[in-house]
Structures are given as C-alpha cells and as structure tokens.
Amino acid sequence: DIVGISPSPDHMRYAITLRDNTIRIVSAVDRSLVSLLQGLKFAERAGRARGARELDSDPFTTGLVVHPATHALVLNGEPGHLQVFNHANDRHLASIEVAAYNRVGSGSQPHVDLVQFSSDGAWMATIDSRRTDATNGLMSVTTSYLKFWRLDPTSQTYTLVTRIDAPHAGGVHSISFQPCHRRNALLCVSTGRDRLFRVWELQSVLGAGPNERFVWACRATCGYRNVQPTAAAFSSDGSTLAVAFGGAVTLWDPAVCAGPVGVLVASADTPKLKGIAFVGASSFVAAWSDERLDVWNMLTGSVWWTLAMPIQSVYVHPRSSLLAVAAYQVPGSSTASVMVLSPSSPTPLLAIQHPSGVEAVALVPTATKSGRSHPNSEHAKPDPLDSNTLVVLTPSGLISVYGAHVDSKNKVVPSVQGRRMESSAFKDIFGMQKPVAAEAPILANAQVRATMRLVRSAVQSSYVNAPFHVLPPVKSLYTQFVTAQLLPVADASA
C-alpha cells in the first residue's frame, strides 16, 4: 500500500513511501526503479477473507529469533514472509517466503506463527496458518502447516523439504529443535492445542553424499493427564526433553518417550506456563507464565528463585548462562523493565527502563568483546553486554539496540540499498563507462570542472532516455562539451 509520494525538485524522480517501511525511487520518464531504501519492515497480521489486511494487536508472533550462524534477527514481515534483519547496521538482509498467496485475488492471507532454527542453522522449522470463513455458517476455520526447510550452502537460501498439514488439531503452541551432535540425527518437538506433543525425526530416504534426500516423519505422540502442552525445550546435550503441561514441567527421554521420568511443580496454584528453556549448559531450567518466572535447579530438584512480575517476554541465551527478561512493574503500564540475569541469582546484572513498551527481547552474540568487565576486580561482576548485544522490539515495530559501547566510526545509521538503471540508451550505443581513477590536471580550472560536472550529470541522468521535446537544445551543450574534451596546450615559454 502507498502511504505518500514526493517528487524531486526537477520532477524527474518520485519517492514513493510504502506501508511496509520501504521507500522506492522511481524515474518519472520510464517508471523504472532507480533505488530502494529499505529498513525493518512493519509486520502485518493477515486478515480474514476477501484479502482485507489489518494490523493485529500482536503481529510479531514469532518474537525475536536469532539465527545461530549469522546472528541476524529473524521475525515477522509481510503476510506469509519472514524478514532477516541485521541490527548492527540497520539493514534488511532478506525476505523468506514461507507461504505463498494471491496478492490480487480475494482469498485469505497466510501468517507465520512460529519459526525455529537448528543449532547449526542448517534446518529451519516454521508454522504458518490461514484463517478463512467457513462455507456454511459464520464460523471461521484456521488451518496450520508445519514446514521443514534445509539450508542450501551454495545459494544460502532455505528449501522446503517436508510439509505436514494440520500437525495438531486446533493449532500449534511451540516448536523446538534438539541440539545437533550427530550428523543427520536430529529431532524436533511440537506442542499443540489437541493436548498432545509430537516428536519429529529427520530420516534419510535416498542416496548418500551430495545426492542424499531427507524427509521428516513423526516418531512419537505423547500426552500427560489430558492437559494441553504449551511449550517444550531440549537440554544442551539433547538427552532430556522438558514439556510444560499447565503449571507443571515434565521431563522426558526423547529417545523413548514412554512416559515422563520426572515432574516439576512449583506450587499447587502455579499458573499455566507459556515458555520453558534450559539455560545454556548449566543445571538450571527457566519456566515462565504471564505472572512470574521460576528458575529450577535440576541438581536439587527445587525452585532456585522466583521473579513475581507480569512477564512479557523471556529470551534464554543458547550458549551462555544468561536470561533476558522483559516485565512490567504494574500491569497495563507502558514502561517495561528489561533485565539481564544469571540463573544463579535473581539480582539483575543489567536493568533498563524501556518507556515505549516491549514486545520481545533477545541477546545476540557479538564478534568481539568490549573489555568492560574486569573479573580480577574484587567487587566486579560480569558484564552481560561484554560479548552480547541486547535487542528490544517494541509493539509498534521499532528496534532498540543496547551494547557495551558506541563507536563513532560504527554508528547505527539507516542504510540505503540502491541500484542503478541496468541499461540506458547511452550505454546501449556507446557501451559502459570506464571508471575514472583520478581527476586529470585539466580539472584544476573551476570553469572546466563545472562544465564536466554538467556533462557527467547529463550522461548519467535520465535525460538521454527522455523524449526529444524535453531535452535541451544541442547548441546550448555543444560548446561546453567540446571545450571540456580539448586538452590545453602547454606554453613553450613557461
């Protein structure tokens, strides 16, 4: 959708602002795309029937997912798409089409509900859904699809390998990969509203080596006391599977899934959990609901500490023992507290007040350490931003980045991704221009420099492609052009 149009001073180009936070520079002569300015796209929740698009109150259903190989952010984009965003230089990297749809017709639009990556980034699992009106009556029907994608190392794109229609009746709550430790031995678990969780296994079906083909198949289907599972997570070594049923955390052996080998319950009035995760390679497990966050110590089988606050978002670092928590001091308040904690203590290592609300948080590893922490100091505590960057996503679709320091040479500034016109009448006749390494001595004269700038702007602009009635007369350009091409004769007496 077009939000606004602004012409250039010479009316040779138009800047078109689109609803998805994109600006397109279009030539007014031949309506070709001159350049593209694109940043973080505003996520848009798919509407119902007849293609009506509407901004949902929670369009970022995927939250902030960090790609394990590139450390780029992956989150919701336009309907049926995921966007890959580099928060370090504020650049939109790619758009992944998860579900195709007819942009012109009146059908329903898909929405990507969930996305997860394997620990090496070689596999991606997505959940997308479509909500349509039923043929008879006023009831709406929602269909979900579980898709497994494999990364092509040559093109660096994800290719669809397996699609499962309606993996759970009523929809899917969560998906989670088992950490990769053996080649082609990978599991993925999904929890659904049908009071079941399913374990999916990667299987080789054809060939070996580069011609090997894979497929994902259901290995086990389990339930617990007819309670709806809401979240699942694997331990760092992949030997233990934790599944949240109501307010209880059940522990399973993923190789057998014959029944829970242990159950963790904080109290009888524990609210329904909405997330669970093993904290790095430590012995702690974090489980959170809308009302509080509980951290369990697996060695003692007890709650180590509890944070009783309205929890909005929790991100558990996959490699280091850190948690990023976004919570509100008062329910319904617009100011959120973003904290980075260690699982061994409820005292925050870092606390930030975010006034515009929080939709999701993430801790992204950085390439180098800042050197702010001083472990040899007597009273020093580890700095969570020493080797990580804290990223906060607001409900309005804005991203705030918090780091250890700000380098004046590496400021986070909006980037412009432009592209020149691939062909023009001048290039078709005379060929491509050779790059000029350095200015010739003739350009020392101010009048000649001005003439050359005029000639170059005329050659590189769209005047050569414009209709003849809008071009300036040749006699007005001939003298300046020829004078610029002639080399001055050196004075022999000099």
Side-chain angles (χ1 to χ4, degrees):
D1 295 343
I2 297 177
V3 177
I5 300 177
S6 178
S8 61
D10 57 358
H11 292 275
M12 297 302 298
R13 291 179 175 88
Y14 288 93
I16 303 176
T17 305
L18 304 181
R19 191 180 183 184
D20 61 352
N21 196 27
T22 301
I23 300 177
R24 295 176 180 266
I25 310 298
V26 180
S27 173
V29 178
D30 54 4
R31 291 176 292 183
S32 61
L33 181 64
V34 177
S35 61
L36 177 67
L37 290 81
Q38 185 170 292
L40 181 67
K41 289 188 175 182
F42 295 148
E44 193 169 321
R45 185 64 183 248
R48 297 183 66 180
R50 293 183 295 276
R53 292 184 293 179
E54 57 183 5
L55 292 176
D56 193 83
S57 58
D58 185 17
F60 298 101
T61 55
T62 62
L64 288 177
V65 181
V66 180
H67 193 275
T70 63
H71 298 161
L73 300 177
V74 182
L75 65 160
N76 290 102
E78 56 183 313
H81 288 70
L82 293 170
Q83 59 177 321
V84 184
F85 184 75
N86 189 336
H87 66 283
N89 56 11
D90 193 16
R91 176 170 295 179
H92 181 273
L93 299 180
S95 181
I96 304 175
E97 184 181 41
V98 176
Y101 69 99
N102 189 353
R103 299 174 181 269
V104 181
S106 59
S108 61
Q109 296 174 343
H111 180 77
V112 182
D113 300 323
L114 301 169
V115 60
Q116 286 296 329
F117 295 91
S118 59
S119 59
D120 58 355
W123 289 93
M124 178 179 69
T126 60
I127 297 291
D128 63 276
S129 60
R130 293 176 184 264
R131 186 176 60 180
T132 58
D133 290 335
T135 305
N136 298 320
L138 300 177
M139 296 295 293
S140 62
V141 178
T142 302
T143 306
S144 299
Y145 305 92
L146 171 60
K147 298 177 182 178
F148 291 97
W149 310 72
R150 187 185 184 188
L151 179 65
D152 186 354
T154 303
S155 61
Q156 290 296 308
T157 58
Y158 283 95
T159 305
L160 182 63
V161 174
T162 303
R163 164 179 153 172
I164 298 100
D165 296 356
H168 292 274
V172 181
H173 277 300
S174 66
I175 50 177
S176 179
F177 274 104
Q178 182 187 38
C180 301
H181 293 280
R182 292 180 301 167
R183 182 180 180 271
N184 302 335
L186 186 61
L187 299 178
C188 182
V189 62
S190 62
T191 60
R193 293 182 173 88
D194 54 358
R195 297 182 175 87
L196 299 172
F197 75 88
R198 288 185 168 88
V199 179
W200 308 90
E201 182 182 21
L202 177 63
Q203 299 177 357
S204 177
V205 294
L206 180 64
N211 298 324
E212 190 173 8
R213 297 293 182 267
F214 299 95
V215 67
W216 287 82
C218 183
R219 177 176 179 174
T221 301
C222 306
Y224 179 74
R225 294 187 177 180
N226 202 27
V227 182
Q228 190 175 118
T230 53
F234 285 94
S235 60
S236 60
D237 60 355
S239 62
T240 304
L241 171 64
V243 184
F245 285 91
V249 178
T250 60
L251 304 177
W252 303 70
D253 182 0
V256 181
C257 289
V261 296
V263 180
L264 305 176
V265 181
S267 61
D269 58 345
T270 301
K272 183 175 69 173
L273 300 176
K274 66 177 183 180
I276 184 174
F278 287 84
V279 185
S282 66
S283 60
F284 295 96
V285 177
W288 60 93
S289 63
D290 291 329
E291 302 177 6
R292 71 185 196 185
L293 167 67
D294 295 326
V295 175
W296 291 79
N297 191 335
M298 299 295 293
L299 298 180
T300 61
S302 60
V303 177
W304 202 245
W305 54 268
T306 298
L307 180 64
M309 294 178 64
I311 305 297
Q312 173 63 28
S313 176
V314 176
Y315 183 87
V316 178
H317 201 287
R319 295 192 176 102
S320 63
S321 299
L322 291 175
L323 301 90
V325 181
Y328 291 94
Q329 298 286 349
V330 179
S333 174
S334 60
T335 302
S337 298
V338 180
M339 299 167 286
V340 180
L341 305 102
S342 170
S344 59
S345 173
T347 303
L349 302 175
L350 175 69
I352 299 173
Q353 296 297 321
H354 207 271
S356 56
V358 174
E359 178 70 22
V361 294
L363 280 173
V364 186
T366 55
T368 58
K369 293 186 177 182
S370 65
R372 288 207 310 171
S373 59
H374 304 280
N376 296 329
S377 178
E378 181 180 358
H379 301 286
K381 60 181 180 180
D383 188 351
L385 300 184
D386 183 47
S387 58
N388 300 284
T389 301
L390 178 62
V391 182
V392 180
L393 175 66
T394 65
S396 59
L398 301 179
I399 280 184
S400 300
V401 181
Y402 299 91
H405 65 281
V406 178
D407 190 354
S408 59
K409 297 182 180 180
N410 297 319
K411 292 181 179 179
V412 179
V413 296
S415 59
V416 177
Q417 296 180 352
R419 64 178 187 181
R420 295 183 180 272
M421 298 174 60
E422 297 180 358
S423 63
S424 63
F426 186 86
K427 293 179 181 178
D428 293 340
I429 298 174
F430 300 101
M432 298 293 293
Q433 288 182 294
K434 294 182 179 180
V436 180
E439 297 289 351
I442 186 178
L443 298 184
N445 187 282
Q447 182 179 1
V448 177
R449 286 200 305 267
T451 304
M452 288 299 296
R453 286 196 297 266
L454 176 62
V455 173
R456 288 170 183 167
S457 63
V459 170
Q460 296 176 0
S461 67
S462 58
Y463 283 130
V464 294
N465 289 330
F468 70 94
H469 62 274
V470 300
L471 292 174
V474 178
K475 62 181 181 181
S476 64
L477 297 176
Y478 176 79
T479 303
Q480 297 176 348
F481 181 78
V482 173
T483 304
Q485 301 304 313
L486 296 177
L487 294 176
V489 178
D491 190 358
S493 62

